[in-house]
Amino acid sequence: MSPVSPELGSGPEHLFLAKKVGVWDMECEYFISQTDEPVRAKGVDIVRALGPYWVLAEAKFELPGLTIEGQATTGYDPVAKRYRSTWIDSATPFLYTFEGSYQQERDLLELEGLNLDPQSGRPARYRSRELFGTPNDRLFELLVESSPGMETPILRYQYTRRE
């Protein structure tokens, strides 16, 4: 197999992903109902690099009466010029896929995808926003389109770097 050509190599888009590498403590909020207080949980996210092109994240968090484990992949596709990401977890049988862009001036990775909504059983538009604060903190939010043009928050993770 031939190596990747230099123009498709690890540029600034791939270097950006290195910001995520490390061990992160998570403060989680799940918005089960729009009228109730969010369900709070704690967790840990271990993110490692897979070569210069991908980061792999393994998260584990404790909800009341339930432990959830999940895995994410994130990389930059130099041909499509888009970030691509996947998510799987122990609570759902679905593969979630996302793609989008990084806004350097806002230090924001924003991705979206059409994925199955486990509550309705129908496809729904999801959008994630990952805001990088200092090198030791970041904020992740996931929203779903509840009706055309209207988004509802599903979850929010506040990350603090442990290592």
Side-chain angles (χ1 to χ4, degrees), residues 61-131:
F61 30 93
E62 304 287 333
L63 289 162
L66 180 65
T67 298
I68 297 178
E69 295 182 55
Q71 294 184 340
T73 61
T74 307
Y76 181 76
D77 181 330
V79 174
K81 300 196 179 321
R82 307 280 288 164
Y83 284 90
R84 298 193 190 268
S85 183
T86 63
W87 172 259
I88 57 171
D89 63 49
S90 60
T92 62
F94 310 116
L95 169 68
Y96 292 87
T97 61
F98 299 87
E99 67 175 49
S101 62
Y102 172 65
Q103 300 168 27
Q104 185 172 2
E105 64 282 353
R106 297 177 63 200
D107 215 0
L108 174 70
L109 179 63
E110 194 163 32
L111 308 174
E112 62 178 42
L114 187 62
N115 295 294
L116 194 67
D117 177 6
Q119 291 184 347
S120 71
R122 294 190 303 262
R125 174 85 35 212
Y126 285 78
R127 184 168 63 98
S128 70
R129 298 170 39 85
E130 191 167 10
L131 181 63

Side-chain angles (χ1 to χ4, degrees), residues 2-104:
S2 63
V4 174
S5 63
E7 64 272 11
L8 298 181
S10 60
E13 296 86 1
H14 294 108
L15 295 175
F16 153 74
L17 294 171
K19 290 174 135 181
K20 296 176 71 146
V21 173
V23 177
W24 301 82
D25 290 315
M26 301 165 58
E27 296 287 333
C28 311
E29 292 180 301
Y30 296 91
F31 303 99
I32 309 300
S33 162
Q34 295 304 306
T35 58
D36 295 333
E37 288 293 314
V39 174
R40 289 178 168 63
K42 292 185 181 288
V44 66
D45 192 33
I46 300 169
V47 183
R48 67 181 181 86
L50 180 63
Y53 304 110
W54 295 94
V55 291
L56 307 176
E58 292 188 13
K60 184 175 183 179
F61 30 93
E62 304 287 333
L63 289 162
L66 180 65
T67 298
I68 297 178
E69 295 182 55
Q71 294 184 340
T73 61
T74 307
Y76 181 76
D77 181 330
V79 174
K81 300 196 179 321
R82 307 280 288 164
Y83 284 90
R84 298 193 190 268
S85 183
T86 63
W87 172 259
I88 57 171
D89 63 49
S90 60
T92 62
F94 310 116
L95 169 68
Y96 292 87
T97 61
F98 299 87
E99 67 175 49
S101 62
Y102 172 65
Q103 300 168 27
Q104 185 172 2

Side-chain angles (χ1 to χ4, degrees), residues 20 24 45 47 130-132 137-140 157-159:
K20 296 176 71 146
W24 301 82
D45 192 33
V47 183
E130 191 167 10
L131 181 63
F132 295 80
D137 70 84
R138 58 191 170 100
L139 175 69
F140 179 87
Y157 297 158
Q158 178 66 53
Y159 295 89

